[in-house]
Amino acid sequence: MKSFETDMLAILPRLKRYARSLSASHADADDLVQDCLEKAFARRETWRGENLQGWLMTILTNLNRNRLRQAIATPHMVDYDAAGAVAAEHAESDPLARDRIAAALDRLHPDQRAVLMLVVVEGYAYGEVATMLEIPAGTVMSRLSRARRTLAAILEGGNIVEFRRNT
Amino acid sequence: MNTAPDSFSENELHAYVDGKLTPERRAEAEAFLANHPEAAAEVAAWQAQNKAIRAAFGAEPVLGARDRALVAGLSRGGRGHTRRFALAAGFALFFLAGGGAGALLTAALQQDAPVQIAQMLPEASKANYLIYAGERRHPVEVAASEEEHLVRWLGNRIGRTLHAPDPSEKGFSLVGGRLVPFAEKPGAMLMYENGSGDRVTVLIGVNSGHEGTSFRFNETDGVSTFYWADNGFGYALSGAVGRETLLGLAHIVYAQY
């Protein structure tokens, strides 16, 4: 089991990144990763020994979907300290721009968001996403399309005016 | 130079945005977009989204000691190394020591704990406690003297048969109860009090879809809360009493539902 643990540690940064890209806060993402790891270790007998990363991504995606289904009626609470930490950690120079994209993503359907993140952040091929989520290739494309169009509509309606100082 | 195609499938435009086209097809896409400003504007918006998403989420988090400890603990089969299971295990020991519902707890331990309950129950329960337990004259809507009416009324509102658990062996007696909102639905709150005036509130709310969870403990601002989900309902006990006292009461409530 040593190699399972070692492989897990090697994949963990990407798993955390994926969880963060699906979550509204780091605390939510940490909970998601912990639940995912618990499930993975509990089920390690069923892992067929190939593509551990894809397997973990699948588990995490499903856990996230279940979580959000339960959360629909709950007003979301943002931890301000955590939000500050996010902004400081990342390369995004404009924290408002980061908040803006994050808030828009929070409004996407979780299934659409998962496909978008697997493609854009994790860089998977469309076919890999289909295999991972056990959905037809056409569904990957329609979710990607809806995610992008919805996101564009949200961002456009955001009433943000870009301005520059004259120099 | 490529000749510009007259049409381009949307799927291929996504593939263009995601850098998944062959160089040849990519050049054709660019030629197409040069002649189709509407498609070009849409593609530009998608590219801007990708850039913003990668800027916000692209960095791989650095692993901390906690991450390594978590993996190591799970790898040893030591579920007790995580917060949640440590608590559940502690609770199980309590029950076993009390000769109580060990089997029930074993079942609860094997459930995946839904994250959502963790977020809603303790906060709602703590708020109930803080708002109502301090009331001198109107802590409850219906007093214990009308217990039968109280449990029938609250039971009807939350859609189950309800009774007020009896923790008199721990020195607590029923003060009464009230209807409270929980997750945008009716919830039931019962209040208990001991001889020295310590109050404990019990919150019962509908949580359809949850078979059961492990037990969790939470202490913030001097208020302790034990909470769990079982059979479609969420339960939480809150009070400014010691953990052991609250645990004893939680045991009684759990055993009676």
Side-chain angles (χ1 to χ4, degrees), chain B residues 70-91:
Chain B
L70 177 65
V71 171
L74 287 166
S75 181
R76 280 194 297 271
R79 287 181 148 198
H81 289 273
T82 67
R83 283 168 289 130
R84 174 178 313 147
F85 286 105
L87 283 174
F91 218 92

Side-chain angles (χ1 to χ4, degrees), chain B residues 3-9 13 27-37 39-40:
Chain B
T3 46
D6 291 333
S7 70
F8 233 82
S9 75
L13 290 180
E28 285 173 0
E30 273 156 13
F32 168 79
L33 291 170
N35 294 330
H36 294 81

Side-chain angles (χ1 to χ4, degrees), chain A residues 91-159:
Chain A
E92 174 62 75
S93 57
D94 179 354
L96 288 179
R98 193 211 174 269
D99 288 353
R100 184 165 167 251
I101 188 76
L105 288 169
D106 285 345
R107 289 168 63 185
L108 287 187
H109 188 286
D111 288 340
Q112 294 171 16
R113 181 175 185 166
V115 167
L116 187 64
M117 294 306 152
L118 287 170
V119 168
V120 176
V121 180
E122 304 307 323
Y124 284 109
Y126 300 147
E128 287 176 309
V129 175
T131 310
M132 219 178 278
L133 303 185
E134 295 169 330
I135 53 176
T139 309
V140 171
M141 297 316 294
S142 64
R143 285 184 188 172
L144 189 61
S145 168
R146 284 205 199 113
R148 284 187 165 143
R149 285 171 195 277
T150 309
L151 212 49
I154 295 170
L155 292 171
E156 244 171 57
N159 201 20

